[in-house]
C-alpha cells in the first residue's frame, strides 16, 4: 500500500488536472486543487466523491504570485509533499499574462518547492517542443518542423515554458537525491481516452497526446519511488503506460540531454 501524500495541484480546473485529480484520490492521497474562478468550486468538489483521499479546492490567483515566498507560503499551508503544475494562461490576456503565469509563477513554485524539505517531487506539465537545442535523436527535418510550429504560432508560450522547464531542471538538481523535478512533455493534446503511449525520446515532435494519458502518466511518475529529475517527452503510441514509466525510470531516460544546462 502506498503512503499517503498531500498533493498541491496548481491549475486544478484545467482538463488534465480534472482527469488527474481522481487518479490521485483513488490512491488515498489528499489533493489541494488551486483554481482562480470561485464559480468552479462546487463542480470540482464533485471530483472528490467516492474516493479514499480528500479533495480540498482553494481559490487563489496564480497570476498574483510574485515571489518565491508567496509560493512557499501556499505549499506550507497545505502541507504538500508533491506539487503538480498543470496551470497556464491558456492564451488569454496577451503575452504579459502568459509570462506572468507560465513562466514567472511557475518558477516561483519550482524554487519554493525545492526550498521546502517536505516536498520531494514536482511534476511540470510542459510540451514536447519546449527545448533550446536539437536533440540527437531527431533529424534536422523534425527539428526544423518543430521550430516552425513552436517559434512562430506559439512564440510567447514557447518562451515562457522553456524558461520554466530550464529552471525546474537546474533547481531540482540542487536537491540531488531527495527531490525529483519531472517535466512531462506531451505533443498536441487531444481528448481521446487514456491508452498506449510513447514515453521518452520520441522519434518525432509531431503527433497527438491524450490528456487522459498525460494524467495517467503523471500519476504513475508521482507513484514511482525511483524516478529522478528528468524530462520525458510523450505521444500517443504503442507502449503500455506502466511499462513505459518503469522502463524510462530504470534506464534513466532524460530528454533534457543535449540542452545547454544538461
Amino acid at each position: 500500500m502506498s503512503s499517503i501524500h498531500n498533493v498541491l495541484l496548481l491549475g486544478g480546473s484545467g482538463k488534465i488536472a480534472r482527469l488527474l485529480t481522481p487518479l490521485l484520490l483513488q490512491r488515498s492521497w489528499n489533493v489541494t486543487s488551486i483554481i482562480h474562478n470561485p464559480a468552479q468550486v462546487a463542480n470540482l468538489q464533485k471530483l472528490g466523491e467516492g474516493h479514499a483521499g480528500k479533495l480540498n479546492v482553494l481559490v487563489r490567483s496564480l497570476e498574483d504570485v510574485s515571489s518565491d515566498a508567496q509560493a512557499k507560503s501556499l505549499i506550507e499551508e497545505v502541507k504538500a509533499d508533491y506539487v503538480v503544475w498543470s496551470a497556464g494562461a491558456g492564451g488569454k490576456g496577451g503575452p504579459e499574462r502568459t509570462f506572468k503565469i507560465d513562466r514567472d509563477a511557475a518558477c516561483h513554485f519550482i524554487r519554493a518547492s525545492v526550498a521546502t524539505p517536505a516536498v520531494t517531487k514536482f511534476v511540470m506539465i510542459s510540451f514536447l517542443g519546449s527545448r533550446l537545442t536539437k536533440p540527437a535523436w531527431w533529424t534536422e527535418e523534425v527539428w526544423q518542423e518543430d521550430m516552425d510550429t513552436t517559434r512562430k504560432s506559439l512564440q510567447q508560450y514557447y518562451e515562457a515554458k522553456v524558461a520554466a522547464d530550464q529552471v525546474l531542471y537546474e533547481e531540482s538538481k540542487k536537491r540531488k537525491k531527495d527531490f525529483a523535478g519531472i517535466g512531462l512533455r506531451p505533443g498536441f493534446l487531444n481528448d481521446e481516452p487514456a491508452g498506449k503511449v510513447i514515453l521518452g525520446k520520441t522519434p518525432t515532435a509531431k503527433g497527438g497526446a491524450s490528456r487522459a494519458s498525460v494524467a495517467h502518466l503523471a500519476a504513475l511518475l508521482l507513484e514511482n519511488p525511483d524516478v529522478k529529475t528528468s524530462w520525458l517527452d510523450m505521444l500517443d503510441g504503442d507502449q503500455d503506460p506502466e511499462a513505459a514509466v518503469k522502463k524510462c525510470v530504470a534506464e534513466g531516460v532524460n530528454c533534457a540531454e543535449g540542452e545547454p544546462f544538461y
Side-chain angles (χ1 to χ4, degrees):
M1 186 176 173
S2 64
S3 303
I4 293 175
H5 294 287
N6 293 321
V7 184
L8 176 61
L9 179 53
L10 299 154
S13 60
K15 289 182 179 181
I16 291 172
R18 286 172 183 263
L19 294 163
L20 177 58
T21 298
L23 298 180
L24 303 177
L25 294 171
Q26 70 189 30
R27 286 168 165 78
S28 298
W29 298 356
N30 301 318
V31 177
T32 299
S33 185
I34 304 299
I35 66 172
H36 72 278
N37 184 356
Q40 296 175 320
V41 171
N43 193 289
L44 277 172
Q45 282 176 332
K46 290 176 185 174
L47 295 175
E49 294 173 2
H51 295 293
K54 294 178 182 175
L55 174 62
N56 182 30
V57 181
L58 289 182
V59 178
R60 302 288 168 85
S61 171
L62 296 178
E63 194 175 352
D64 293 335
V65 174
S66 58
S67 69
D68 297 358
Q70 275 180 283
K72 196 169 193 292
S73 176
L74 180 55
I75 291 167
E76 291 174 343
E77 178 188 337
V78 306
K79 298 179 172 57
D81 60 336
Y82 291 172
V83 177
V84 177
W85 179 276
S86 189
K92 297 172 186 172
E96 185 182 349
R97 188 166 182 267
T98 295
F99 287 120
K100 234 180 199 182
I101 297 174
D102 294 78
R103 183 190 64 192
D104 300 345
C107 290
H108 290 315
F109 275 98
I110 291 164
R111 294 191 184 100
S113 296
V114 171
T116 305
V119 178
T120 57
K121 287 180 186 170
F122 189 113
V123 171
M124 163 74 74
I125 307 298
S126 186
F127 79 107
L128 204 153
S130 175
R131 57 184 313 121
L132 296 169
T133 57
K134 182 183 92 64
W137 54 95
W138 283 1
T139 64
E140 189 62 36
E141 184 183 3
V142 168
W143 174 241
Q144 288 299 328
E145 186 177 24
D146 178 65
M147 284 201 297
D148 285 345
T149 303
T150 56
R151 316 291 166 97
K152 289 179 182 175
S153 58
L154 300 168
Q155 182 65 32
Q156 282 83 28
Y157 178 69
Y158 162 78
E159 289 177 8
K161 291 302 283 186
V162 79
D165 288 349
Q166 179 173 348
V167 168
L168 176 63
Y169 194 82
E170 292 178 328
E171 291 293 316
S172 297
K173 287 292 186 181
K174 293 178 182 178
R175 278 273 297 273
K176 303 200 167 116
K177 291 182 180 178
D178 69 336
F179 186 91
I182 306 142
L184 181 55
R185 304 153 51 80
F188 287 102
L189 295 168
N190 62 54
D191 292 317
E192 294 298 313
K196 294 189 175 182
V197 301
I198 302 172
L199 185 67
K201 296 176 179 178
T202 63
T204 178
K206 201 173 179 181
S210 158
R211 289 180 173 89
S213 290
V214 175
H216 187 194
L217 288 170
L220 291 171
L221 289 163
L222 285 171
E223 194 174 49
N224 190 296
D226 301 316
V227 68
K228 303 286 194 299
T229 291
S230 55
W231 287 4
L232 292 171
D233 294 351
M234 175 255 169
L235 294 168
D236 295 331
D238 58 4
Q239 302 167 3
D240 173 78
E242 286 84 356
V245 166
K246 284 180 184 174
K247 186 172 188 289
C248 284
V249 171
E251 295 178 359
V253 175
N254 188 352
C255 297
E257 187 181 320
E259 292 294 276
F261 47 84
Y262 177 71

